[in-house]
């Protein structure tokens, strides 16, 4: 969907816990094949986002049990941010992210 937009796009992924259902499941109680597929899902998301100049920002709730290393990789590989917030800070952070314009991306400077 983001690749259909003109210019850069942004995805804000909000999570309050470990993804334990569906294609991105990281539940360690599942079998190892499903866990590996879940981890690959986040690598694939980052790759697809980069192809369409899409930034992925991740917001996690403080104290939740989730796989931050997978979400962090997704954010970092797309020039996004990982924010771990107290629940009362959630609205303020969403406003802040929405107000930040993308100035440049994939820029090389030669002197």
């Amino acid at each position: 969907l983001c690749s259909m937009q003109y210019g850069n796009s942004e995805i804000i992924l909000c999570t309050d816990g470990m993804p334990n259902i569906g294609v991105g499941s990281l539940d360690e109680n599942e079998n190892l094949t499903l866990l590996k597929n879940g981890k690959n899902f986040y690598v694939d998301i980052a790759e697809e986002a980069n192809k369409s100049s899409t930034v992925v920002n991740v917001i996690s709730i403080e104290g939740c049990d989730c796989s931050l290393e997978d979400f962090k990789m997704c954010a970092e590989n797309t020039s996004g941010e990982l924010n771990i917030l107290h629940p009362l800070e959630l609205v303020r952070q969403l406003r802040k992210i929405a107000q930040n314009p993308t100035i440049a991306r994939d820029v090389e400077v030669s002197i």
Side-chain angles (χ1 to χ4, degrees):
L1 181 61
C2 288
S3 64
M4 296 169 52
Q5 301 294 317
Y6 296 105
N8 296 331
S9 298
E10 181 176 23
I11 295 172
I12 301 172
L13 173 71
C14 297
T15 180
D16 64 350
M18 177 70 73
N20 55 4
I21 296 175
V23 294
S25 176
L26 297 172
D27 190 354
E28 293 178 0
N29 293 327
E30 297 291 332
N31 68 47
L32 290 178
T33 302
L34 291 176
L35 180 61
K36 183 178 177 185
N37 289 341
K39 289 188 176 288
N40 288 339
F41 173 78
Y42 296 98
V43 172
D44 293 344
I45 290 294
E47 289 174 1
E48 289 300 314
N50 275 322
K51 287 179 190 176
S52 62
S53 298
T54 299
V55 174
V56 178
N57 288 300
V58 179
I59 297 176
S60 177
I61 304 299
E62 187 178 282
C64 74
D65 178 30
C66 62
S67 182
L68 288 181
E69 66 271 1
D70 295 298
F71 294 132
K72 181 179 181 182
M73 177 278 309
C74 212
E76 287 179 345
N77 289 351
T78 62
S79 302
E81 295 180 10
L82 170 67
N83 294 289
I84 302 169
L85 303 174
H86 185 278
L88 298 176
E89 289 290 312
L90 186 60
V91 172
R92 186 188 67 78
Q93 187 63 32
L94 285 172
R95 274 194 206 117
K96 181 181 171 188
I97 290 171
Q99 292 172 353
N100 290 337
T102 301
I103 297 170
R105 184 171 175 174
D106 298 326
V107 175
E108 290 185 32
V109 176
S110 299
I111 298 177

